[in-house]
Amino acid sequence: MAARHRYPAEVSEAIAIVSLSGVAVRAGAVPILRDVNLSVHPGEVVGIFGANGAGKTTLLRLVATMTRPSEGSGTVFGTDMNSPDRFEVRSRIGYIGHTPGWYPELTLAENMAFVAAAMGIDAAKVGSCLDAVGLAGAKDRRADRCSHGMQRRAEFARVLLTEPDLLLLDEPHSALDADAVDLVDGLVKRTVERGGAAVLVSHDHARVESLAHRILRIKEGTIT
Amino acid sequence: MSPTFLSQAMTVARRDVLRERRSGEVLWVTLPFGAVALLLIPIAISTDTLTLRRVGVGMFWVVVMLFGVLIAVRRTTADSTAQRDMVALTGMDPAAVFTGTALANFLLLLVFETVLGVLTVVLYDIDLSGAQWFPLILVLVAVGLALLGTIAAGIVATGRSTAALVPLIVAPMSVPLLIAATQSFEGLRLGKSILTWILMLAVIALVLAVAGVLSARPLQETG
């Protein structure tokens, strides 16, 4: 299953943050994921490669508890993925998907302040997090007046704000300038150093290979 | 520190009110349409004062119901998957999200009802007997309609129904609201007690609130 292992010995001994066993996901009758077995441990970075439509995004959404397994079982931070209480672990997950989810009518700072208030985080951190991703001058700009790249950067600021224990990144390096790519790598390293874990889905093999302890390949919904 | 249910609900309500202030969807789009509907009805029916006075209250409530549901439904159905994901990943209690959304909808509906109410009084020469009861009736209907629209929007947001089904979901459930609202005003006009109708509006609001809070989590998790 794993293409290579180069993570520290203590990683494999730790209790898994994510544990999937025989998980399948179907959209109606169409299988998206089949018999997926996966464990992600604290301190680990897992890279996932696969062609378009292989099931990478569905796998990330599954791990984020945003998609439910059709078959099999899984836990995230020890909480069953089918449990009605699974929303409670989501505040420990940082998920960056293809499309930024900012409210277009609100400024970047207001969007971030909403997240902070929703999670009980001190709103005073919002400014410094936006500063850290190079958006100091765009704090008060409405999200719909920011470029896609700026909105992506703001998502990295959200990760700095919420400090998740599990970082899930879907094509994190796409459409980014060199500085922003470095930001992504910094976020991953920061999360892992805090004892968290990261899962990256990407077509940028070289980038991900430089970050990941383990590379998985997914083909037609199956991890090979 | 983990935020309380109430603080999460208030956070969502503040977000929705701020978004409305920026977009002006209710004030500059829906409200003028409602006002135009009230203006057009006399042209279609009759400009006779007695006829208008007779039908005015009923027309007001029909316009409030139809446009009010649009107000309550608009946000949730318009939000993208990414926006819903962002909210879900804050770990907020879905029931708190429902409560906050319904609260914001209530405030917007109250403004909508008040402006159209004043317009109806002017256009239709409405009898103002028992006017001291008007605010209570407007508040109770706004609460019921906000809850109803928020539940309908939640159902649509699961992706298992389309927005086109909203009228089918809302229509049967809005009938008791419409009857209680119109009968309250009719009772005031005739000088009768309206306590039964007020109680009915309160019970509808209570039932919808309980249904909304209890269904919030399953609805979010279905999406």
Side-chain angles (χ1 to χ4, degrees), chain B residues 98-124:
Chain B
F98 169 83
T99 305
T101 308
L103 178 60
N105 284 335
F106 160 72
L107 293 172
L108 295 176
L109 282 167
L110 198 57
V111 171
F112 181 75
E113 280 181 345
T114 305
V115 174
L116 287 191
V118 170
L119 192 63
T120 306
V121 168
V122 173
L123 284 175
Y124 293 78

Side-chain angles (χ1 to χ4, degrees), chain A residues 61 86 90 103 105 110, chain B residues 15 19 22 85 221:
Chain A
R61 291 184 61 80
R86 66 188 182 283
R90 289 185 184 146
Y103 297 113
E105 307 91 344
E110 286 165 347
Chain B
R15 174 204 63 183
R19 290 182 73 189
R22 295 275 164 75
D85 284 353
E221 298 311 309

Side-chain angles (χ1 to χ4, degrees), chain B residues 4-16 96 99-100 103:
Chain B
T4 61
F5 181 96
L6 188 63
S7 74
Q8 287 182 339
M10 293 305 293
T11 297
V12 172
R14 268 196 299 272
R15 174 204 63 183
D16 284 356
T99 305
L103 178 60

Side-chain angles (χ1 to χ4, degrees), chain B residues 196-221:
Chain B
T196 309
W197 301 113
I198 295 287
L199 275 175
M200 186 170 166
L201 285 171
V203 169
I204 292 169
L206 187 65
V207 168
L208 287 170
V210 171
V213 166
L214 292 180
S215 64
R217 200 180 290 183
L219 280 179
Q220 178 179 294
E221 298 311 309

Side-chain angles (χ1 to χ4, degrees), chain A residues 25-26 61-70 76 79-91 93, chain B residues 76 84-98 153-160 212-223:
Chain A
V25 173
R26 283 189 293 272
R61 291 184 61 80
L62 177 79
V63 172
T65 76
M66 308 298 287
T67 294
R68 290 170 76 170
S70 308
V76 179
T79 298
D80 191 321
M81 285 179 161
N82 281 311
S83 158
D85 297 325
R86 66 188 182 283
F87 74 89
E88 289 172 0
V89 301
R90 289 185 184 146
S91 59
I93 299 171
Chain B
T76 314
R84 284 198 286 271
D85 284 353
M86 182 175 76
V87 173
L89 286 165
T90 59
M92 271 196 288
D93 186 338
V97 176
F98 169 83
I155 293 169
V156 172
T158 64
R160 299 201 174 178
V213 166
L214 292 180
S215 64
R217 200 180 290 183
L219 280 179
Q220 178 179 294
E221 298 311 309
T222 308

Side-chain angles (χ1 to χ4, degrees), chain A residues 7 20 49 52 60 75 87 90 94 100 103 111 122 130-131 142 154 159 162 193 213 216 223:
Chain A
Y7 46 80
L20 304 179
F49 296 151
N52 291 334
L60 276 197
T75 61
F87 74 89
R90 289 185 184 146
Y103 297 113
N111 269 292
D122 183 2
L130 285 168
D131 290 352
R142 278 173 55 145
V159 170
T162 60
E193 281 165 11
H213 301 118
L216 305 175
I223 292 177

